[in-house]
Amino acid sequence: SAEELRQGLAAEGKAQEDSRMEVRQLNQTVQALRASHSRSEEALEREVRGLQQVAHSLEDAVRCAQEREHAMRLKFADLEDQCAKIKEKLSRISTGAVCPACKARLDTDDERARSRKMEILPRLGAATPLSLPEVCGVGMKITDVPPHRAVELLPSGSAFASGQIQIGDLLVQVDGEDVSRKDIDYIRSIIRGPRSSEVRLKFARTTS
């Protein structure tokens, strides 16, 4: 009958509406899952970048430690060599193995050294300041850990006298060699030199 047909159509319409509602809910669920997955990927990427930065920092620290160890080994080997030579000389002197001419020359050298010392000490005076380990031969103190920044300029040093270096400047090169990541002991060894020698320092200045 017509009434049964209307009821059947209404039921069919309701079923279709329920199906559309379920489809919309499924679509919303899929979108929510996609958004959650995207956020998870971004979080993972941030964590990966953070871990990579930590790894780079550790690599730099290990490299600096290796360079410092290498410099210390070289110094230790040099000291051992000097000690061995001194022991050999002492042994030869104590056993009388040194010829009279050589012994006379050694005595003369010792006397010259003592005389030279007596000449130099009065010139130094009691007020002469001792050079600190951070003073790299130009009257400048820099940070021990890269990046190496100038933290103090001694008024009596050539770095201060140049008028071109400011506190906070980054030491970049020494005589054309990149030292931005070098060990502090190595930097000191290549900056220091005889009093009349020259060294070229290149700095980078950061502006705030």
Side-chain angles (χ1 to χ4, degrees), residues 169-189:
D169 287 354
L170 292 174
L171 180 59
V172 179
Q173 292 182 0
V174 177
D175 285 335
E177 179 182 356
D178 183 7
V179 295
S180 57
R181 287 290 177 184
K182 293 293 184 180
D183 178 72
I184 184 65
D185 291 333
Y186 175 74
I187 294 176
R188 288 171 180 160
S189 67

Side-chain angles (χ1 to χ4, degrees), residues 64-93:
C64 291
Q66 289 175 343
E67 291 177 353
R68 188 180 295 108
E69 180 185 1
H70 179 66
M72 292 179 66
R73 287 181 181 275
L74 291 177
K75 290 181 179 179
F76 185 73
D78 184 57
L79 288 174
E80 283 188 330
D81 185 55
Q82 293 180 15
C83 290
K85 291 180 180 178
I86 292 173
K87 288 180 179 179
E88 181 182 356
K89 289 181 179 179
L90 292 175
S91 176
R92 293 173 61 188
I93 292 173

Side-chain angles (χ1 to χ4, degrees), residues 113-187:
R114 284 193 295 271
S115 175
R116 183 59 178 165
K117 181 179 179 182
M118 296 305 295
E119 291 177 2
I120 294 175
L121 286 178
R123 298 178 187 175
L124 294 177
T128 303
L130 295 176
S131 297
L132 298 177
E134 295 81 5
V135 179
C136 300
V138 292
M140 175 182 63
K141 293 182 181 180
I142 60 175
T143 54
D144 291 341
V145 180
H148 300 287
R149 293 182 181 272
V151 295
E152 184 178 350
L153 302 177
L154 301 182
S156 60
S158 57
F160 179 85
S162 69
Q164 299 180 5
I165 305 173
Q166 296 182 6
I167 300 301
D169 287 354
L170 292 174
L171 180 59
V172 179
Q173 292 182 0
V174 177
D175 285 335
E177 179 182 356
D178 183 7
V179 295
S180 57
R181 287 290 177 184
K182 293 293 184 180
D183 178 72
I184 184 65
D185 291 333
Y186 175 74
I187 294 176

